[in-house]
Amino acid sequence: MTTAAAPQPSAAGLGGPVSASLEADLRSWVRRQGVVVWLDQAGHYGGFVDRLRALRDSGALPYDVHAFRGSHLSLMMALDGVAAGTEKVPLVIHLPGFTEETVRSTPLFELYAAGVRYRKALDTLITEAAAGRVRPDQIASFKAQPDMTLAGADAWLGALLDDAQGGIAAELRAMRPTAVFDDLLTGGFVAERIGQLDDEDAVWERLAAWVGLPGYWRDTTLPPSAPRAEDVAFAAASWALCVEYVDDLKRAPVGTHLAHAADLPRPVIETCRAVAAHLRERHAGFYQRTADETEALLADEVEAARAEDLGKVDTFRFEEDKVLKAALAALERANYDLATEWAELRVDTKTTSASFWLRDDPTRQSAWQLVRDAARLGQTIAHAGERLGVGASDGLEAAVSAYVQRGAAVDQAHRQLEQRRVALLYPQLPEFETLRTRLDGMRRAWRVWADAWAREFNALCKAHGFLAGASQQQRTLFDEVVKPLTQEAGTTAYFVIDALRFEMGEELYRQMEGTPATTVLLKPRLAELPTVTEVGMNVLAPVEKNGRLHVSMASDTGGVQGFQTGEFRVSDPETRKRAMHDRVGGGTCPWLTLEEVVSRDSTSLKRSVAQARLVVVHSQEIDNAGEKGVGPAVFDHVMQKLRAAWRLLRDAGVRRFVFTSDHGFLLLDDSAASAQAHGRRIDPKRRHVFSPVAADHAGEVRVALADLRYEGVNGHVMFPETTAVFDTGRRSMSFVHGGNSLQERVIPVLTVVHRTAAGGSSVQYGIKAEASEGVAGMHCIEAKVEVLAQRSLDFGSPKDVELALRVPDAEGVQVELCQTRGKARIAGGVVVATVGERFELFFRLSGAVDARALIEIHHPSAEADVVPCVPDARFAVTATRGPSSPPPAPAASVGASRTSWLEQFPESGVRQVFEHLAAHGTVTENEAAAMLGGPRGLRRFAIQFEAYAQKAPFDVRIAVVAGVKRYVREGSG
């Protein structure tokens, strides 16, 4: 059985508006806590409690009220049975004259301890009841009177509120403050009253009550002429922003004109903060103008402000500027925790305190992302420690464990910072020179750390040998990991990935570990020496015999050519495939490139693996990109393809996977240090050198090939003891391998075993996208992922979908994802977009030559069914280096060999105009008119010219030469 809730008592029945506010607060406490023990030391509220008891007797209160009136016994008897039991009883016990200390010595202490203490100073009650209803100066004036009483406060506030009854004043009191600002800024009924004297005064009175607007600030911010509605909103909003700023400040304000803001009642301050947040969200343009103009009035604050004094909300633009500069200074001082704290507040899309000044400024967002990633690298270095920290008596296994637990995170943070640097560090960024200097400093910090760990690791290798135990050797991987999986029913996929170092395998592990009904394991192994493809990739095949490798070399100082196994030498993909097939059996042993896998569908792949125990997926993309000097721009794209290939093969019926690598790599700053000399420049490779002589050199380590259990060859191999490269007389590279650092030697062995088959997708998605205005050298598209079709009941479709960009009609063009705005974020080199929500994506295109290219938005990871989208517009490609040979003639490259782009244009002469431009480079206005069917067609063409020009693979400009207007092609496309 339920009973109706007791009606709220009227203010008059309680004694007045202050008493009504007190009862509402009490009611809230009782509803949450049950038994409330009210300690009324000053005895202000006896009469009020008597009125509550009378209201309870009449059934107007939903809780019991009991009071101490001189006799503990009487109160205890009255409470007998009322507060017994374990349930929360709605009860207020009023104890006038008692404090926390004095109540302990009374029989009431047990009841006090069982309930919740309630106290309310009369001064606080008056502030809470009146704030937002009358002006703060009126509240302060009343509270300054001696001998305040609750009855006097009720009479005072009631009189003020009675004066505001009726007319627009009553309407304003019924509105929320934010609604009034909306009205003033959109020309509503309140805005129409501005200029009508009495009504305007009522608006000012209400704004003063809500935000505490003082007269002097109103006079300072209003124009000398009669104010408009927006002027009224500006004056009140300007003050609200000042209040938010002062409340967020960690020190007192400098100027006396802001001192009043710190003394406002808490409800008024909260109203100001709500107004500021509302304006940022709903009236961003007005907020920006108001903040900038208000900032101009706060010159003393701007000058005195330090980032450490500022709070979490950047009310004004100068706060964002100060904090960015301070974060860069913190990086210089190696105060990475402080820099991270500031950056996370501005970069983390999950926080609600992200700076307003970053929302529409991608360049500032980019600067903060670089600061965050730089600080994160500093933090991981600090956590890993300056030393490897492995004792002299410990073996290589301890060093590998230390690297896996602490060191790999440093290299991952370093790689991600370098990737971010390539994508985001451009001169348009704020504090560009300082930021670049700090990033260079982080490169040096990483190099110092990596060199120290490399020295210790090489010292361990000299002491304990360069070859780890069998369970961590690369040469035993196939027989110990891959072959046992192939003995089970079905097909096993073996990914052999050139230069996938351990931290990249760890990233794949994190992306796969949450897959339902799947066991995912990641273990480290040590690559064979030297850490080059011709060694590691061949050793990933079963070439080991009794723990030894039979090596084929070109000469004593030449490179490794392969490894002998049985009747043939394993030295290339075909012989690796043969060795693997011989070892595991099966009808076939497909050898597919990563690109082949991701370009096929699961049905086609299913046919290819149907008779196979083992399918090998070979990837060279990481190593190839690194050797070409574009590794950081490509690494994430390769990781996406690896995940896509895994999902496609799983859809094709493969349930067991092994991902591993031939070696890792070092990512160096090629300008940071000079190369290390070793004899003649033609002798060494970048990170190793073979020698028939057992000669030791300063700054190097040496190991005999026999100690590596290599058969069929004598001699030694030498490495720099740090991350340095040998002087080969050739241009230095940032991507290197071949040496004996942990980054090069520790490789991942990632095994994925699915216990159930993959489920199909029941939803098909599509992408809508169009070009938008770029910012700071970045292109922009506005896009949205939508549901196109739903084939069955949908219980688990993703709310977010991964997207990526690629260039379908031009080879060698790199896409750099920079920023997002709206319901999307960039993570791991992909755009994670919320289905059904619009977002903007900022990006850059770079290639060997200037051109204009189409982009395709696609789903890179094969997790969902997403139809790709190619926007109509073309985007400029920025040349990063000169072509190795002269570009082809414009007519051939644009007009003859690639004309499919012309199909985007209507056939009504427009196509003919652009075909002529492609072939000849210029079209006069008279020629265009003839192609377009006359002056009317020319006018239509001129109106839509900009839209047409975006679809061409070259830029088109309008020029006037000798009074003749013409369209001129720029670039060859």
Side-chain angles (χ1 to χ4, degrees):
M1 177 178 177
T2 60
T3 58
Q8 193 85 14
S10 67
L14 288 165
V18 179
S19 293
S21 177
L22 177 58
E23 193 281 326
D25 190 48
L26 265 177
R27 184 183 294 237
S28 174
W29 274 72
V30 171
R31 184 168 56 248
R32 296 194 310 269
Q33 309 294 346
V35 178
V36 174
V37 181
W38 187 357
L39 299 180
D40 178 13
Q41 181 182 5
H44 283 303
Y45 303 112
F48 170 76
V49 172
D50 289 339
R51 290 193 292 275
L52 287 183
R53 295 171 70 182
L55 288 169
R56 173 59 179 173
D57 292 341
S58 66
L61 281 186
Y63 52 88
D64 281 332
V65 181
H66 292 270
F68 174 74
R69 291 296 182 263
S71 171
H72 294 112
L73 180 60
S74 297
L75 180 57
M76 296 296 290
M77 292 179 63
L79 291 171
D80 185 34
V82 175
T86 58
E87 293 186 6
K88 289 185 177 181
V89 178
L91 170 65
V92 172
I93 304 171
H94 180 235
L95 302 179
F98 286 92
T99 66
E100 293 93 332
E101 295 301 322
T102 58
V103 76
R104 293 175 181 273
S105 59
T106 72
L108 302 173
F109 179 68
E110 185 177 349
L111 193 61
Y112 166 78
V116 175
R117 184 196 66 187
Y118 179 82
R119 293 186 303 179
K120 183 71 68 173
L122 183 58
D123 179 277
T124 302
L125 173 62
I126 293 169
T127 299
E128 292 177 353
R133 305 170 81 179
V134 298
R135 299 193 312 271
D137 62 302
Q138 293 173 313
I139 300 173
S141 177
F142 176 78
K143 287 165 56 176
Q145 302 176 46
D147 302 323
M148 286 188 301
T149 64
L150 179 59
D154 277 325
W156 162 76
L157 184 56
L160 288 177
L161 296 179
D162 287 343
D163 288 343
Q165 292 294 333
I168 190 175
E171 295 180 75
L172 291 170
R173 286 178 58 193
M175 296 176 68
R176 295 191 307 274
T178 51
V180 172
F181 278 94
D182 290 342
D183 185 292
L184 290 170
L185 294 173
T186 57
F189 87 94
V190 178
E192 293 174 353
R193 306 293 183 90
I194 303 302
Q196 301 178 27
L197 193 57
D198 290 341
D199 289 349
E200 184 178 315
D201 288 344
V203 173
W204 283 118
E205 187 74 14
R206 180 85 332 245
L207 290 172
W210 277 329
V211 302
L213 177 64
Y216 68 83
W217 192 263
R218 169 180 160 182
D219 295 339
T220 300
T221 53
L222 283 180
S225 58
R228 299 169 295 120
E230 187 172 338
D231 298 328
V232 174
F234 171 82
S238 174
W239 178 251
L241 267 55
C242 290
V243 173
E244 179 185 61
Y245 167 77
V246 171
D247 186 57
D248 214 29
L249 205 56
K250 297 176 183 177
R251 56 159 174 80
V254 174
T256 56
H257 50 290
L258 291 186
H260 176 62
D263 299 329
L264 291 171
R266 191 70 224 172
V268 173
I269 292 173
E270 293 300 332
T271 297
C272 289
R273 297 192 73 118
V275 166
H278 178 80
L279 294 175
R280 282 191 289 268
E281 193 64 33
R282 298 294 182 86
H283 304 281
F286 172 78
Y287 178 90
Q288 181 174 322
R289 293 192 302 273
T290 302
D292 286 341
E293 292 182 34
T294 304
E295 181 179 316
L297 302 174
L298 305 176
D300 50 352
E301 278 294 334
V302 174
E303 183 177 355
R306 299 182 314 122
E308 293 78 7
D309 299 332
L310 303 173
K312 294 184 177 181
V313 179
D314 294 336
T315 303
F316 299 112
R317 193 188 300 269
F318 80 85
E319 296 181 78
E320 161 60 25
D321 293 335
K322 294 267 186 179
V323 177
L324 178 58
K325 291 175 181 176
L328 293 170
L331 288 178
E332 184 179 25
R333 300 192 308 271
N335 191 343
Y336 303 121
D337 290 343
L338 182 59
T340 298
E341 178 184 341
W342 281 325
E344 290 290 358
L345 284 171
R346 290 157 178 82
V347 174
D348 189 354
T349 57
K350 297 178 182 177
T351 66
T352 57
S353 56
S355 176
F356 169 83
W357 307 103
L358 271 65
R359 293 184 189 177
D360 296 318
D361 190 348
T363 61
R364 195 163 285 274
Q365 294 175 30
S366 296
W368 274 113
Q369 287 181 328
L370 288 167
V371 168
R372 181 192 61 178
D373 287 359
R376 185 174 292 167
L377 173 58
Q379 287 179 312
T380 57
I381 290 175
H383 178 263
E386 297 177 357
R387 296 175 55 83
L388 180 58
V390 176
S393 61
D394 296 321
L396 299 193
E397 289 77 6
V400 171
S401 177
Y403 179 74
V404 167
Q405 293 174 16
R406 297 182 282 123
V410 177
D411 291 318
Q412 186 170 89
H414 176 236
R415 170 177 63 86
Q416 290 173 345
L417 177 59
E418 290 300 316
Q419 291 174 179
R420 190 82 75 176
R421 179 174 180 145
V422 167
L424 301 183
L425 186 63
Y426 281 78
Q428 294 91 340
L429 268 58
E431 306 297 327
F432 169 74
E433 291 295 342
T434 304
L435 181 56
R436 182 169 61 178
T437 300
R438 299 294 172 267
L439 297 182
D440 290 344
M442 295 313 302
R443 281 178 168 175
R444 291 190 292 273
W446 175 84
R447 191 72 179 268
V448 168
W449 172 84
D451 281 343
W453 277 49
R455 287 189 186 95
E456 288 192 54
F457 179 63
N458 277 297
L460 276 174
C461 291
K462 289 174 67 175
H464 297 279
F466 287 70
L467 197 60
S471 63
Q472 284 197 341
Q473 291 175 14
Q474 188 179 37
R475 65 187 68 179
T476 62
L477 189 158
F478 190 91
D479 283 333
E480 291 185 355
V481 178
V482 180
K483 183 181 176 182
L485 292 175
T486 64
Q487 303 312 298
E488 300 180 31
T491 305
T492 298
Y494 185 29
F495 281 71
V496 289
I497 306 157
D498 202 335
L500 182 81
R501 65 183 184 180
F502 183 82
E503 55 88 5
M504 300 172 93
E506 194 171 42
E507 185 175 308
L508 278 177
Y509 169 80
R510 289 198 303 269
Q511 293 166 340
M512 296 176 176
E513 64 174 333
T515 307
T518 301
T519 301
V520 186
L521 295 175
L522 175 65
K523 295 183 178 180
R525 288 195 178 226
L526 282 175
E528 307 294 341
L529 289 170
T531 48
V532 292
T533 300
E534 53 267 30
V535 173
M537 195 58 74
N538 289 319
V539 169
L540 292 177
V543 294
E544 169 266 349
K545 185 175 182 180
N546 298 324
R548 297 182 175 275
L549 296 172
H550 194 286
V551 185
S552 296
M553 292 185 65
S555 65
D556 288 343
T557 59
V560 173
Q561 293 182 323
F563 297 87
Q564 199 70 28
T565 176
E567 300 177 353
F568 63 97
R569 184 173 68 192
V570 174
S571 59
D572 56 27
E574 188 58 37
T575 52
R576 292 172 210 148
K577 171 185 172 180
R578 177 182 171 185
M580 294 178 189
H581 193 188
D582 288 349
R583 187 64 60 95
V584 303
T588 62
C589 182
W591 183 284
L592 305 173
T593 66
L594 179 61
E595 193 61 41
E596 285 177 320
V597 175
V598 298
S599 63
R600 294 167 63 176
D601 58 32
S602 58
T603 303
S604 170
L605 290 170
K606 191 170 186 177
R607 288 195 297 268
S608 295
V609 305
Q611 303 300 317
R613 288 185 179 178
L614 181 70
V615 55
V616 183
V617 180
H618 183 206
S619 168
Q620 296 177 288
E621 285 85 350
I622 293 174
D623 195 71
N624 288 344
E627 296 291 346
K628 292 176 183 177
V630 295
V634 173
F635 291 154
D636 273 342
H637 299 297
V638 182
M639 301 289 279
Q640 295 162 22
K641 287 184 177 181
L642 290 171
R643 287 193 294 133
W646 161 58
R647 289 195 174 98
L648 286 166
L649 285 169
R650 188 189 177 193
D651 289 343
V654 178
R655 294 195 189 181
R656 296 179 299 280
F657 297 81
V658 178
F659 297 81
T660 193
S661 172
D662 55 349
H663 56 74
F665 60 88
L666 287 167
L667 204 55
L668 306 177
D669 174 13
D670 52 22
S671 64
S674 58
Q676 182 170 315
H678 178 98
R680 301 175 303 168
R681 287 181 169 180
I682 61 172
D683 291 337
K685 304 297 183 183
R686 282 176 294 187
R687 287 280 295 158
H688 72 281
V689 57
F690 286 106
S691 173
V693 180
D696 291 322
H697 302 271
E700 296 181 12
V701 291
R702 174 183 55 83
V703 59
L705 295 178
D707 291 341
L708 298 175
R709 298 185 184 178
Y710 287 175
E711 294 184 338
V713 63
N714 296 313
H716 306 262
V717 60
M718 304 162 186
F719 313 97
E721 68 175 359
T722 64
T723 63
V725 295
F726 284 129
D727 185 0
T728 62
R730 289 175 289 178
R731 182 173 66 89
S732 59
M733 299 284 290
S734 60
F735 177 93
V736 296
H737 55 84
N740 188 46
S741 70
L742 287 158
Q743 290 86 348
E744 296 160 288
R745 286 205 68 188
V746 182
I747 58 169
V749 181
L750 177 64
T751 57
V752 183
V753 178
H754 301 288
R755 296 187 292 276
T756 61
S761 174
S762 63
V763 178
Q764 184 182 55
Y765 300 94
I767 307 165
K768 286 187 176 180
E770 59 185 7
S772 187
E773 185 177 356
V775 176
M778 295 180 284
H779 303 304
C780 179
I781 54 172
E782 187 173 346
K784 181 168 71 170
V785 179
E786 297 180 323
V787 175
L788 291 183
Q790 187 167 316
R791 304 180 186 92
S792 61
L793 290 177
D794 173 38
F795 298 104
S797 294
K799 295 180 180 178
D800 295 329
V801 172
E802 291 184 355
L803 303 176
L805 300 188
R806 60 189 174 198
V807 178
D809 65 341
E811 295 183 2
V813 176
Q814 301 294 336
V815 179
E816 298 165 2
L817 302 179
C818 300
Q819 297 292 346
T820 58
R821 189 159 58 193
K823 297 293 185 177
R825 68 185 190 279
I826 296 174
V830 298
V831 179
V832 182
T834 302
V835 175
E837 300 284 354
R838 300 196 71 84
F839 65 92
E840 289 176 293
L841 172 62
F842 297 90
F843 62 96
R844 290 187 175 93
L845 302 178
S846 58
V849 295
D850 288 324
R852 289 178 62 81
L854 293 171
I855 60 158
E856 182 180 66
I857 311 167
H858 68 108
H859 174 59
S861 53
E863 188 175 10
D865 183 2
V866 183
V867 179
C869 170
V870 179
D872 288 340
R874 288 179 176 265
F875 301 89
V877 179
T878 302
T880 54
R881 58 178 61 88
S884 57
S885 59
S893 65
V894 176
S897 64
R898 304 191 69 157
T899 57
S900 60
W901 58 272
L902 289 169
E903 296 173 3
Q904 301 175 86
F905 298 108
E907 296 183 5
S908 57
V910 177
R911 189 178 300 179
Q912 187 179 355
V913 170
F914 278 91
E915 187 173 14
H916 189 92
L917 277 170
H920 305 288
T922 182
V923 176
T924 67
E925 192 170 48
N926 289 339
E927 291 172 333
M931 298 175 192
L932 295 162
R936 181 176 297 177
L938 180 64
R939 285 194 296 272
R940 285 197 299 268
F941 176 81
I943 291 171
Q944 300 182 57
F945 169 71
E946 293 294 338
Y948 290 144
Q950 284 191 330
K951 300 179 181 181
F954 46 77
D955 289 325
V956 183
R957 62 180 174 86
I958 298 174
V960 179
V961 179
V964 178
K965 180 178 177 181
R966 61 188 67 206
Y967 298 94
V968 182
R969 186 197 68 226
E970 292 186 330
S972 60

